[in-house]
Amino acid sequence: MSLKYALLGFLNYESMTGYQLKKYFDESVGGFWNASLSQIYPTLNSMYEEGVVTSEEVQLDSLNKKIYSITAKGKEELLKWLEEPTEIQPLRSTLLLKLYFSSNISKEIVISQFESLIKQSRLKLEIYEKGIEHLRKEHLSTGYMKQEALYWNLTADYGVKHQEAFIKWCEECILKLKNAEKDAEGRVTFEDNNY
Amino acid sequence: MSLKYALLGFLNYESMTGYQLKKYFDESVGGFWNASLSQIYPTLNSMYEEGVVTSEEVQLDSLNKKIYSITAKGKEELLKWLEEPTEIQPLRSTLLLKLYFSSNISKEIVISQFESLIKQSRLKLEIYEKGIEHLRKEHLSTGYMKQEALYWNLTADYGVKHQEAFIKWCEECILKLKNAEKDAEGRVTFEDNNY
DNA sequence: ACTATCATGTAAGTAGTTACATGATTTG
DNA sequence: CAAATCATGTAACTACTTACATGATAGT
């Protein structure tokens, strides 16, 4: 249940509504975590019952809003969670699963799938890099790096490195598939090949 | 619902029981997909109702077993799934989420967390590399690469590349955190710092 | 005798998605 | 005046995990 801690993390910056929290999510950690409003609202409710947040119903701009704030207990739990050692989470990749069984289909299709993945990945990379550039400029102008920005940069870095490694791997896969095609001629017997 | 297709993929190699499927999982795609028996059995049942597998109850080695086989419809669905273009799945990382908020705790703790992650990751890498070495030797002796082995190698490759990139990133994070510590002296004001 | 492995499940709970429901306010 | 945005939720469903239940066989 990381969502709870993510919400506590944002509320630790400032008090806000569930709707605003959703926006914070999308604009900051959206690259590696996302949450829907239909998940955020019930979670905030159970967090209220737990006593890690308080809520205040107000009428602002003639709209009914529920502004949530972190409590002392909430801060305590957030810090405890942050200090806990992190175990590396196991991979769970549909893509690799599919690839594992791809000897059943033609190499041409697999290669075109990789080409499409590379395109998608390059787009993502561009978006990441623009975001980082934005962060960098903002903090260069202030003359020093905020404590928070240091960590934000580390997560952004991961996104870039991860995406670059992925593209490289895709390119190598294409090469290996093309080479295997040549090697295979007259050497490999194709039983049960559907193509 | 990738589990269904994974099960079809294995049953396409040969007919077997749910228990054996679990073993296949762990020993082949365990690095990027895992399934528990309590998930496999009900899924096989619903697949039977769908008509993508048949089952035969037999008594082998004086044990009651249900041997599942893939049907023509099952093969069709497997191929269709394999040929479908794959979208890149969004990241979902508790680790990055935690790091994002880590300005709230001391740098020393974060650094030691990274050091622990590197250790865990190196262990994983060793296991991967041994598995690949094993595959390589097995197929060198046969003189050529089986169609399947080509794809198995690509997935194993991903595991290695991913893990290596991760370790590199961790190491860079540690360096950046240590440098920031030096830079910060006398320049950054620490408000609300709990340490 | 006991422990591990083989073998098949059910039941309850968690995390998250998708669809639905409602209504106000703001912007083009 | 229509569409987008602000704002809060419920209900149903999916995928998966954890705990429980049962019983046979094989090896130490």
Side-chain angles (χ1 to χ4, degrees):
Chain A
M1 233 239 176
S2 301
L3 177 59
K4 174 182 154 184
Y5 299 103
L7 294 172
L8 287 176
F10 287 122
L11 290 175
N12 197 37
Y13 293 151
E14 57 176 316
S15 300
M16 59 187 121
T17 68
Y19 194 85
Q20 281 176 290
L21 277 162
K22 163 69 172 161
K23 283 202 151 181
Y24 256 72
F25 255 94
D26 293 347
E27 286 164 16
S28 57
V29 298
F32 48 87
W33 201 273
N34 63 301
S36 57
L37 282 168
S38 57
Q39 198 193 356
I40 289 171
Y41 287 125
T43 303
L44 283 169
N45 257 314
S46 66
M47 284 165 72
Y48 174 78
E49 274 156 36
E50 253 192 278
V52 292
V53 293
T54 55
S55 86
E56 195 194 357
E57 279 171 71
V58 292
Q59 271 189 306
L60 238 160
D61 314 318
S62 35
L63 278 170
N64 295 322
K65 298 181 185 197
K66 265 195 189 176
I67 296 170
Y68 287 92
S69 304
I70 193 167
T71 63
K73 193 187 172 191
K75 276 187 192 184
E76 220 176 275
E77 283 202 24
L78 174 63
L79 288 178
K80 201 185 132 205
W81 177 72
L82 290 172
E83 285 172 358
E84 261 170 24
T86 325
E87 342 79 84
I88 40 171
Q89 53 221 336
L91 265 182
R92 197 168 188 82
S93 169
T94 317
L95 172 68
L96 291 179
L97 194 60
K98 199 179 267 196
L99 185 62
Y100 186 86
F101 293 112
S102 287
S103 56
N104 290 291
I105 61 168
S106 85
K107 283 205 188 74
E108 285 70 38
I109 292 177
V110 181
I111 289 170
S112 77
Q113 283 176 349
F114 274 121
E115 280 162 352
S116 155
L117 286 169
I118 290 172
K119 266 183 206 162
Q120 286 175 64
S121 206
R122 287 224 177 95
L123 265 172
K124 264 203 171 185
L125 201 52
E126 257 180 66
I127 295 162
Y128 282 175
E129 277 164 349
K130 269 177 195 163
I132 291 169
E133 185 65 11
H134 180 76
L135 252 184
R136 203 184 58 83
K137 272 183 187 162
E138 208 172 289
H139 291 289
L140 260 175
S141 63
T142 61
Y144 67 89
M145 257 200 182
K146 259 206 259 176
Q147 280 287 300
E148 287 92 1
L150 169 62
Y151 290 94
W152 299 345
N153 264 306
L154 296 182
T155 63
D157 241 45
Y158 181 92
V160 171
K161 289 244 162 62
H162 177 259
Q163 218 60 233
E164 282 175 345
F166 180 74
I167 291 171
K168 230 184 222 171
W169 173 74
C170 287
E171 287 168 345
E172 277 183 34
C173 284
I174 292 174
L175 273 177
K176 282 178 186 170
L177 286 168
K178 285 187 176 166
N179 283 337
E181 226 163 317
K182 277 185 259 167
D183 282 6
E185 273 164 47
R187 287 222 286 142
V188 175
T189 33
F190 293 88
E191 326 97 12
D192 298 318
N193 197 326
N194 296 281
Y195 293 86
Chain B
M1 235 243 177
S2 301
L3 178 59
K4 173 183 154 183
Y5 298 103
L7 294 172
L8 287 176
F10 287 122
L11 291 175
N12 197 37
Y13 293 152
E14 56 176 317
S15 299
M16 60 186 120
T17 67
Y19 194 84
Q20 282 176 289
L21 278 162
K22 164 68 173 161
K23 281 202 155 180
Y24 257 71
F25 254 95
D26 293 348
E27 286 165 16
S28 58
V29 299
F32 49 86
W33 200 272
N34 63 303
S36 57
L37 282 167
S38 58
Q39 198 193 355
I40 289 172
Y41 287 125
T43 304
L44 282 168
N45 258 312
S46 67
M47 283 165 72
Y48 174 77
E49 275 156 36
E50 253 192 281
V52 292
V53 294
T54 56
S55 87
E56 195 194 355
E57 280 173 71
V58 293
Q59 272 188 306
L60 239 160
D61 316 318
S62 37
L63 277 172
N64 296 321
K65 298 180 185 201
K66 264 195 189 175
I67 296 170
Y68 287 92
S69 304
I70 192 166
T71 63
K73 192 186 171 192
K75 276 188 193 185
E76 218 176 275
E77 283 202 23
L78 174 63
L79 289 177
K80 201 186 131 203
W81 178 72
L82 289 172
E83 285 173 357
E84 263 170 22
T86 325
E87 342 79 82
I88 40 170
Q89 55 221 335
L91 266 182
R92 195 168 189 81
S93 169
T94 316
L95 171 69
L96 291 179
L97 193 60
K98 200 179 264 198
L99 185 61
Y100 186 87
F101 292 113
S102 286
S103 57
N104 290 291
I105 62 169
S106 84
K107 283 204 188 75
E108 284 70 37
I109 293 177
V110 182
I111 288 170
S112 76
Q113 284 175 349
F114 274 120
E115 280 163 353
S116 155
L117 286 169
I118 290 172
K119 268 183 206 163
Q120 289 175 62
S121 206
R122 287 225 177 94
L123 266 171
K124 266 203 169 184
L125 202 51
E126 259 180 65
I127 294 162
Y128 283 175
E129 277 165 349
K130 270 177 195 161
I132 291 169
E133 185 65 11
H134 180 74
L135 252 185
R136 203 183 59 83
K137 273 183 187 161
E138 208 172 290
H139 292 289
L140 260 175
S141 61
T142 61
Y144 66 89
M145 256 200 183
K146 260 205 260 173
Q147 281 287 301
E148 286 92 1
L150 170 63
Y151 289 94
W152 298 345
N153 264 306
L154 297 182
T155 63
D157 240 46
Y158 181 93
V160 171
K161 289 243 163 60
H162 178 258
Q163 217 61 232
E164 282 175 346
F166 180 74
I167 292 171
K168 228 183 225 172
W169 173 75
C170 285
E171 287 169 343
E172 276 183 35
C173 283
I174 292 175
L175 273 178
K176 281 178 186 169
L177 286 168
K178 284 186 176 168
N179 283 337
E181 226 162 316
K182 275 184 259 165
D183 281 7
E185 273 163 47
R187 287 222 286 141
V188 176
T189 33
F190 294 88
E191 325 98 11
D192 298 317
N193 197 326
N194 296 281
Y195 294 86

